[in-house]
Amino acid sequence: MDDDIQIDSDEDLFRNPVYYEPAGRNLDLDRADLGIPHGEELLQVLLSMRGRVPVEKRGLICPDCRNLRGRRVPMYLVQRDGVWLASHYRKPGEKPISHESDEHLARKERVAKDSEDHGFSADIESPAADGHARLDVRINGANGIILGYEPQLSPETSGRMRSREGFRRRGGIRSVWDFADPDHMGIGTVPYVRTPNLPASVIRVQRNPIAVQDGNFVLEEGQCNQNGPLIRCPEKPYDPENPTDAGYCGRWHCVLVPAHLSSTHTGEGALTLTRFIVEAAAGERIPFQRGGHHGWLPARQWQRYLETNGIAPDDTERRPAVRQGDRRDRCTEDRPASEARSEPKQRRGSRAFVLETRPTESETVMVPVDASGQPIPLCRFGCGLPASLPGPEGLPEHYSCRRKQHP
């Protein structure tokens, strides 16, 4: 290989589209004939140019850089695991060519500027200390906290997200992955927030608030009844046949719940991305992992969380792998995933986690009984309170509960 080429690492290699100027068409590197007549001979010709013909004169260029940005960026061929890949040419010491979407760039610029306006220095495209990861935005927080802001607008597999997060965590980075797609495979797989899918022109205006729609959790605890702080029993499965049923079990729960689904959420004074980043950099928000699901928790509730959950062990070491994504559509970071690296899509919606459940003192000390000494059954509508009178169906119920269910 030529001495004046900066070879991309395995983590930076993609199946980029490649255009061959003499033929006036893209090459299909998955085919032995490259998708053109006499393609087998052409591949040998291109390989024979190594060390003899400058990369700029071999006729291989990036079609997206030419069509979308009016730039002629030469490309060269490399082989990994028997697969031919086209990589953008750059000289030793040069940074990889950035082909990020305008929305991706706008998010990085906005977060970096907001962080600096609040007293935390920030650098865009900063390498991690161990050199295994490149942070979209590195924020130097309080008390030695290094926060990495990573907007992820393109589809990615959950395994790949875990691998990328592992590099950052082992480098001492607290990552904030920002997703716009509510069904992205990374939601819950890594410490995340979810924000609206906004155009770059809106994101760049600092007075425009960017709402945090998910990823922010709170602790709620109390007795599970209609007068308690819990909206519904966290251990009772949701019944799609009766969506208004908010059954209660009467026990005491400590629950980790998404803030927008909590009993205290009113919609007013909503958490913004700027406030979240600043508080995370200040150590006022802590990342957690519960049952394989990641999120963020206010620092004032962290100690209570540790008492019931403990600290999750680090993931096992993962080897970096060549990205096998199909990069023929666009060479931007934000592109559809290929069949080669996509996983069956699942809805990644927010969910609550029960940290602790125990009987209440009233349950263990005193059980309501009727005049004959028999226990009084609980209301059939799930309010968690005893009901001594049967309803029309012969089951115990409260008149007020029936009116709520059957107005």
Side-chain angles (χ1 to χ4, degrees):
M1 187 63 72
D2 306 75
D3 293 335
D4 64 340
I5 293 180
Q6 176 68 53
I7 304 299
D8 287 330
S9 66
D10 286 351
E11 186 178 354
D12 294 324
L13 282 175
F14 296 93
R15 286 182 176 173
N16 292 303
V18 57
Y19 181 85
Y20 186 54
E21 291 177 307
R25 60 191 299 180
N26 284 8
L27 301 181
D28 187 348
L29 299 181
D30 289 335
R31 297 176 53 175
D33 62 358
L34 304 181
I36 64 174
H38 311 292
E40 295 89 343
E41 293 85 352
L42 174 60
L43 179 59
Q44 296 304 317
V45 170
L46 292 172
L47 296 180
S48 68
M49 292 182 181
R50 293 176 173 178
R52 299 188 304 108
V53 180
V55 177
E56 300 95 327
K57 298 182 179 180
R58 296 178 189 174
L60 298 178
I61 66 170
C62 175
D64 291 340
C65 292
R66 180 199 61 183
N67 297 336
L68 302 178
R69 300 169 183 84
R71 298 175 56 193
R72 183 184 183 277
V73 178
M75 304 188 80
Y76 63 94
L77 301 180
V78 294
Q79 192 178 43
R80 290 290 187 275
D81 300 328
V83 178
W84 286 105
L85 305 168
S87 187
H88 297 83
Y89 168 70
R90 56 192 176 102
K91 294 182 179 180
E94 291 183 346
K95 293 183 178 180
I97 296 174
S98 174
H99 300 293
E100 298 166 341
S101 67
D102 200 27
E103 289 77 14
H104 187 98
L105 292 170
R107 287 173 184 264
K108 296 197 301 184
E109 295 165 1
R110 170 70 179 269
V111 166
K113 183 167 180 54
D114 285 346
S115 299
E116 291 182 340
D117 288 348
H118 286 81
F120 298 111
S121 61
D123 299 305
I124 295 178
E125 291 296 325
S126 174
D130 59 4
H132 289 122
R134 188 170 57 250
L135 308 181
D136 280 339
V137 182
R138 174 194 173 102
I139 303 166
N140 300 306
N143 302 317
I145 294 176
I146 303 299
L147 199 66
Y149 172 70
E150 308 288 341
Q152 182 67 35
L153 306 183
S154 61
E156 186 66 277
T157 64
S158 57
R160 180 62 184 160
M161 293 300 303
R162 282 191 293 266
S163 177
R164 295 172 65 187
E165 168 61 16
F167 284 127
R168 288 156 176 78
R169 185 177 60 254
R170 290 188 288 274
I173 309 297
R174 285 189 182 181
S175 300
V176 180
W177 297 86
D178 184 3
F179 302 108
D181 180 3
D183 291 329
H184 197 287
M185 294 301 296
I187 288 181
T189 303
V190 293
Y192 75 102
V193 293
R194 181 169 61 82
T195 56
N197 188 10
L198 301 172
S201 58
V202 173
I203 296 172
R204 286 194 169 98
V205 179
Q206 282 189 284
R207 66 174 178 270
N208 288 336
I210 302 175
V212 171
Q213 299 174 319
D214 195 4
N216 177 45
F217 287 69
V218 295
L219 279 175
E220 289 194 335
E221 52 188 326
Q223 190 173 1
C224 185
N225 58 45
Q226 61 183 358
N227 299 318
L230 304 180
I231 295 178
R232 60 173 289 114
C233 178
E235 294 184 335
K236 183 175 182 179
Y238 173 75
D239 182 7
E241 300 292 333
N242 190 9
T244 62
D245 178 23
Y248 299 99
C249 68
R251 294 181 294 174
W252 182 94
H253 299 294
C254 180
V255 184
L256 188 64
V257 62
H260 65 281
L261 300 178
S262 68
S263 60
T264 58
H265 179 70
T266 62
E268 299 181 0
L271 181 64
T272 65
L273 180 61
T274 298
R275 177 183 160 194
F276 180 91
I277 293 294
V278 170
E279 291 182 354
E284 297 175 10
R285 294 189 181 273
I286 311 294
F288 72 87
Q289 179 182 353
R290 170 74 181 188
H293 191 96
H294 293 256
W296 292 81
L297 191 66
R300 64 182 180 276
Q301 298 181 352
W302 178 246
Q303 188 59 43
R304 181 71 184 93
Y305 169 78
L306 291 180
E307 293 174 359
T308 57
N309 184 75
I311 300 177
D314 290 339
D315 293 343
T316 56
E317 294 287 331
R318 301 177 183 269
R319 294 178 55 194
V322 177
R323 293 191 182 185
Q324 299 295 330
D326 187 344
R327 288 315 212 35
R328 282 170 278 187
D329 293 332
R330 298 192 299 267
C331 75
T332 63
E333 175 179 334
D334 306 292
R335 69 189 75 210
S338 71
E339 294 180 357
R341 69 184 185 116
S342 64
E343 296 177 351
K345 198 165 189 179
Q346 307 173 17
R347 181 161 291 276
R348 310 291 297 180
S350 300
R351 54 196 177 105
F353 299 90
V354 180
L355 300 180
E356 187 179 356
T357 295
R358 66 172 183 261
T360 60
E361 293 183 0
S362 60
E363 276 189 313
T364 57
V365 175
M366 184 176 61
V367 176
V369 295
D370 58 20
S372 63
Q374 297 298 316
I376 300 176
L378 298 179
C379 175
R380 61 177 294 224
F381 292 110
C383 70
L385 300 176
S388 57
L389 298 178
E393 294 85 359
L395 300 175
E397 64 179 46
H398 296 108
Y399 177 72
S400 59
C401 294
R402 169 171 281 276
R403 292 192 62 184
K404 291 179 181 178
Q405 297 293 330
H406 305 287

